[in-house]
Amino acid sequence: MIIKSVNLETVCGITSKLPENQLPEVAFAGKSNVGKSSLINALMNRKSYARTSSQPGKTQTINFYNVNNALYYVDLPGYGYARVSTEIKAKWGKMIERYLHNSRQLRLVFLLIDIRHEPSANDCTMYHWIVENGFHPVIIATKLDKINRSQIQKNLKVIKEKLDLVPGTPVIPFSAETKQGREEIWGMIEEFLLSVP
């Protein structure tokens, strides 16, 4: 995918009304610090358009990036950050659920899981939320460069088993450092958008 233009078009907070976009949307979900902003930047061919932070829990809004005036990348708030109050966590959860339930243009959801760790209870909840809202999420196993090659298949097996994935669910290993997996993710986006009327 050749990226010609990127524009952060809409930022939705907890009380904001969701935009009624006419273009298809591709959403990215994942816990705080899983590498969501780094993935989105890699897909947009930008170094720091989506704000990365060493401080987890920074994305507290739903951010809509217009890409090529052809589709939106939708960055959902990171979940599961321990230092955020239970009340705020609940609001973020409601915000994500409202988006999944109400967006008319959402075509594809990527769920990011850190390949180094077993999926958390929050990861499992998010996966089941996405499925219950009628989507077939694609799993992206991030931080691939942080483990040895010999660990990859074993760790991917743990992710698949812990999430109890629907058979046939794609799992794509990805590294923001080497960009491994980027072409495969682009391919899925293009294939999915072309196949949906």
Side-chain angles (χ1 to χ4, degrees):
M1 183 184 284
I2 298 168
I3 306 295
K4 295 176 182 167
S5 66
V6 174
N7 178 32
L8 175 56
E9 200 168 277
T10 312
V11 176
C12 283
I14 287 166
T15 57
S16 306
K17 186 174 182 290
L18 291 169
E20 295 183 12
N21 292 326
Q22 302 306 308
L23 298 173
E25 297 169 1
V26 175
F28 298 86
K31 69 182 177 188
S32 297
N33 218 19
V34 74
K36 203 152 39 69
S37 298
S38 298
L39 168 66
I40 292 171
N41 284 327
L43 291 175
M44 296 192 298
N45 270 345
R46 301 293 190 273
K47 280 214 166 100
S48 56
Y49 202 91
R51 281 169 304 189
T52 57
S53 174
S54 56
Q55 186 184 350
K58 211 65 177 154
T59 306
Q60 301 179 15
T61 51
I62 301 178
N63 298 333
F64 292 80
Y65 295 93
N66 182 323
V67 179
N68 290 351
N69 289 315
L71 73 152
Y72 288 96
Y73 288 167
V74 183
D75 184 5
L76 298 173
Y79 55 80
Y81 181 48
R83 288 192 202 165
V84 171
S85 73
T86 307
E87 184 189 355
I88 290 180
K89 279 186 201 163
K91 284 181 178 170
W92 287 355
K94 285 198 176 90
M95 187 159 69
I96 294 169
E97 196 170 24
R98 179 168 61 106
Y99 170 71
L100 291 174
H101 194 67
N102 293 322
S103 171
R104 292 181 180 170
Q105 296 298 334
L106 181 56
R107 298 286 182 264
L108 181 60
V109 182
F110 289 106
L111 177 59
L112 282 63
I113 305 289
D114 188 330
I115 197 168
R116 298 172 300 177
H117 307 298
E118 183 177 292
S120 66
N122 282 322
D123 290 326
C124 296
T125 299
M126 178 55 69
Y127 173 72
H128 292 293
W129 261 5
I130 296 167
V131 171
E132 282 162 18
N133 277 285
F135 298 99
H136 302 286
V138 173
I139 308 302
I140 300 179
T142 62
K143 308 195 187 245
L144 179 63
D145 49 284
K146 308 282 191 206
I147 63 170
N148 295 325
R149 290 182 70 118
S150 59
Q151 296 175 278
I152 294 171
Q153 290 310 315
K154 179 179 71 114
N155 290 26
L156 291 176
K157 186 168 183 274
V158 169
I159 289 172
K160 290 173 187 174
E161 289 175 354
K162 181 74 178 177
L163 290 178
D164 192 19
L165 293 182
V166 173
T169 300
V171 180
I172 303 173
F174 173 76
S175 164
E177 292 293 318
T178 67
K179 307 295 184 283
Q180 184 179 334
R182 181 173 66 177
E183 301 296 326
E184 204 177 336
I185 296 165
W186 268 342
M188 298 254 354
I189 292 171
E190 289 179 329
E191 179 190 337
F192 215 89
L193 295 185
L194 290 173
S195 67
V196 176

